[in-house]
Amino acid sequence: MSRPIGSTLSSHTLATTEFVDQMPPQWPCLQPAAAAARRFPPFVSRRRRCSSSVPAPVCASAPSGHAREQEDGQSLVVVGGGAAGVYASIRAKALAPHLNVVVIEKGKFLSKVKISGGGRCNVTNGHHLEPSGLARNYPRGYKELRGSFFRSHGPQDTMHWFSDHGVELKTEEDGRVFPVTDNSASVVDCLLNEARRLGVSLQAGKSVSGASVDANGKFVVKVEKRTIDFVDYINANYVLVATGSSQQGYSFAAQHGHSIIPPVPSLFTFKIADKRLADLSGVSFTRVKAKLMLDGIQKSAPELTQTGPMLVTHWGLSGPVVLRLSAWGARELYQDKYQAKLVVDFIPDIHIEDVKRILFQHKDQHAKNKVNNAFPKEFGLVKRFWGFLLEQESLDGDMHWATVPKTHLNAIALRLKQWMFEVVGKGQFKDEFVTGGGVPLSEISLGTMESKKQPNLFFAGEVLNVDGVTGGFNFQNAWTGGYIAGTSIGTLASNSILKEEQACLQLQGS
């Protein structure tokens, strides 16, 4: 059984001090900038080795024991301790127990998982199980993800994995999947405990600032500790970048030949020009139909019309329907400096002619009642909103229905079906920010998550140009990408060991 990577490093540090000054010369910025900087030797797995009387083929020309360890050690460095990185490390380690795996996180592990869903963690979405339908929930990536991506590890696979590891889940009416505890700690603890059980080394408070590639194709990863003047250098066979929307991941990708699509915010609320809307803060609508109108889009895009719940806030509009629109229009909204028009249909299931008919009938039936005290229940509107609507039409709520002019009834009907709001800016969607942009999907192989620019370099999660609408889709992208990357790396590591053992057997038999 492999021992934790942290103990492997510490057990070899003193024994290899004579190799501290043997840093690769081809990358000058890897040299320690301060006397306090030190270098760790490569990871060493405790797998079964060939007999010492028969040298392993890969080590036959090794000049020293240390060089032999450099050649033999199978290791993976995961940059980023979020959902994709931790999930991938678990998968890789499960497939290749001999593989030394370290996950390096500059902040706290799974911090976004912890705060997601209001602290409940929206694990995935249980209403979109078919890959092509699921892919339509990704404004960036929906074309590329329609193929085999989610077939490798979809929402059902995610739910089964967590259930098998002790996290009972529930699917709510809108499709969002949460732990039955309604506590994200259930998910966080499950992932971290499983990683530790397998022997994954979890190192927080450190940042990967880059990596060179040596003559043998191995990475020399530069790791810095934020709190002190301290640098580590880790040799690794494989590197997985799963840094989310952090600049750290974009810089790493660019160092190895990748282009970066400039990231822009996604999943945010709309600030509305009408300050009187603040009086309705807290009012929610279970079903509206909203259309986002942007100057940067000439043709009507179907994705820019969404139906669902909407919430009025003290600064504007929020809720799932607004968040989905912000995701689909993210880049155009950014280019237009978040200036747009939003047309809302507050009663999308009732045709405008039927709305007019209901209003006229209501006028006849409630002629002696005050307009503000007797409004059509068929619309499903609350009194606060009805009063706000009357104000927009310059109607006094204390007037009687009999005195309301026909033109005003038509105007109310039109406003209910086509109320236009001026969007003047964006609000922050709590701390659950998502970005559109990153490494283009065309530069990686989706079947393995491996870079097309640099062998043995992998990507997963939001560092790629993939983002989903609200409802668990961003986490599902992380689970799927992490699973595929972990599977690829674990398989490569296992095959490498198998080839070495076969070579050993051939030499022993000769």
Side-chain angles (χ1 to χ4, degrees):
M1 180 181 293
S2 300
R3 62 177 150 184
I5 293 174
S7 63
T8 301
L9 288 173
S10 61
S11 66
H12 287 277
T13 302
L14 296 177
T16 58
T17 54
E18 65 269 30
F19 297 102
V20 170
D21 297 326
Q22 298 181 15
M23 287 305 301
Q26 68 271 26
W27 195 30
C29 66
L30 277 178
Q31 305 302 326
R38 62 188 177 93
R39 175 178 179 240
F40 281 144
F43 299 118
V44 181
S45 64
R46 296 185 62 192
R47 62 179 176 80
R48 184 168 57 85
R49 300 280 297 276
C50 297
S51 169
S52 59
S53 62
V54 182
V58 294
C59 305
S61 60
S64 67
H66 179 69
R68 180 186 304 248
E69 289 176 350
Q70 274 192 318
E71 201 67 37
D72 273 0
Q74 286 282 300
S75 54
L76 161 65
V77 171
V78 179
V79 188
V86 174
Y87 205 63
S89 72
I90 291 171
R91 177 61 176 168
K93 187 70 173 175
L95 285 181
H98 72 279
L99 180 67
N100 289 300
V101 181
V102 61
V103 185
I104 298 172
E105 166 58 42
K106 64 181 180 179
K108 294 183 178 180
F109 281 98
L110 300 172
S111 58
K112 207 166 185 179
V113 174
K114 184 177 181 180
I115 65 173
S116 70
R120 294 198 297 153
C121 184
N122 185 183
V123 176
T124 186
N125 192 287
H127 283 181
H128 297 268
L129 304 178
E130 196 275 323
S132 61
L134 178 60
R136 285 196 289 269
N137 292 281
Y138 294 86
R140 262 66 54 185
Y142 70 96
K143 292 181 180 179
E144 296 88 343
L145 303 183
R146 288 178 298 181
S148 62
F149 184 74
F150 289 119
R151 289 191 180 92
S152 301
H153 193 80
Q156 285 181 314
D157 300 305
T158 297
M159 290 186 277
H160 287 154
W161 190 92
F162 280 104
S163 297
D164 291 345
H165 289 79
V167 180
E168 189 177 351
L169 302 173
K170 61 179 179 179
T171 303
E172 298 192 343
E173 186 177 353
D174 59 1
R176 294 181 299 165
V177 177
F178 294 94
V180 296
T181 60
D182 282 328
N183 191 338
S184 60
S186 301
V187 177
V188 172
D189 292 344
C190 170
L191 290 166
L192 296 182
N193 289 340
E194 181 63 9
R196 294 187 184 105
R197 185 188 71 81
L198 292 171
V200 174
S201 176
L202 303 173
Q203 300 186 16
K206 297 180 180 179
S207 177
V208 172
S209 55
S212 67
V213 180
D214 66 18
N216 297 318
K218 287 188 177 181
F219 296 94
V220 181
V221 183
K222 183 181 181 182
V223 182
E224 300 183 56
K225 195 170 179 65
R226 296 187 303 164
T227 55
I228 58 176
D229 190 8
F230 180 88
V231 178
D232 293 345
Y233 294 93
I234 303 176
N235 290 0
N237 301 79
Y238 316 99
V239 171
L240 167 63
V241 180
T243 50
S245 57
S246 168
Q247 183 60 43
Q248 174 191 16
Y250 302 145
S251 298
F252 192 104
Q255 287 176 12
H256 294 276
H258 284 279
S259 55
I260 302 297
I261 297 174
V264 298
S266 181
L267 290 186
F268 49 83
T269 58
F270 292 162
K271 291 184 179 180
I272 303 299
D274 192 342
K275 295 181 180 179
R276 292 175 297 177
L277 199 63
D279 296 334
L280 294 180
S281 179
V283 172
S284 62
F285 302 88
T286 56
R287 180 176 165 82
V288 304
K289 185 177 182 180
K291 180 179 181 179
L292 186 63
M293 302 176 66
L294 297 160
D295 291 338
I297 297 180
Q298 301 300 324
K299 296 182 179 179
S300 179
E303 294 84 7
L304 293 181
T305 299
Q306 296 287 331
T307 301
M310 188 178 75
L311 172 70
V312 181
T313 70
H314 64 275
W315 63 83
L317 298 172
S318 183
V321 70
V322 170
L323 296 174
R324 288 199 293 267
L325 288 172
S326 76
W328 283 103
R331 195 158 294 281
E332 289 78 13
L333 282 165
Y334 176 81
Q335 293 171 350
D336 292 345
K337 298 181 179 179
Y338 302 101
Q339 308 291 307
K341 291 180 174 61
L342 183 71
V343 180
V344 179
D345 180 350
F346 286 95
I347 42 177
D349 297 323
I350 305 177
H351 192 274
I352 188 169
E353 294 304 322
D354 292 326
V355 174
K356 293 178 181 178
R357 177 180 54 79
I358 292 171
L359 285 171
F360 288 130
Q361 289 178 350
H362 197 82
K363 175 182 177 180
D364 293 338
Q365 295 170 359
H366 298 273
K368 297 182 179 180
N369 294 323
K370 292 183 178 180
V371 177
N372 205 28
N373 293 334
F375 54 94
K377 302 300 182 183
E378 295 94 328
F379 298 156
L381 304 176
V382 298
K383 185 176 181 179
R384 286 176 62 193
F385 179 74
W386 180 256
F388 180 71
L389 174 60
L390 295 178
E391 290 179 11
Q392 304 305 302
E393 297 303 323
S394 301
L395 291 173
D396 185 350
D398 289 331
M399 67 188 301
H400 293 86
W401 273 100
T403 61
V404 178
K406 179 180 178 180
T407 54
H408 280 69
L409 293 180
N410 286 330
I412 289 174
L414 186 62
R415 190 176 289 272
L416 283 172
K417 296 296 292 182
Q418 299 178 16
W419 197 325
M420 182 174 290
F421 296 94
E422 291 285 340
V423 180
V424 296
K426 75 175 184 68
Q428 182 69 52
F429 180 40
K430 301 180 181 179
D431 295 315
E432 305 172 39
F433 62 89
V434 174
T435 59
V439 177
L441 292 180
S442 60
E443 296 181 3
I444 69 161
S445 300
L446 280 174
T448 61
M449 305 308 289
E450 185 176 15
S451 165
K452 293 180 180 179
K453 305 286 186 178
Q454 173 62 54
N456 296 328
L457 175 61
F458 297 79
F459 294 91
E462 200 184 338
V463 68
L464 297 168
N465 185 33
V466 176
D467 64 292
V469 299
T470 183
F473 299 104
N474 285 293
F475 274 140
Q476 186 54 55
N477 169 52
W479 310 132
T480 299
Y483 179 90
I484 295 174
T487 300
S488 302
I489 296 167
T491 301
L492 285 171
S494 295
N495 289 343
S496 177
I497 293 300
L498 181 60
K499 290 178 180 179
E500 289 183 22
E501 292 177 347
Q502 288 174 345
C504 289
L505 291 174
Q506 291 176 355
L507 286 174
Q508 287 173 341
S510 61

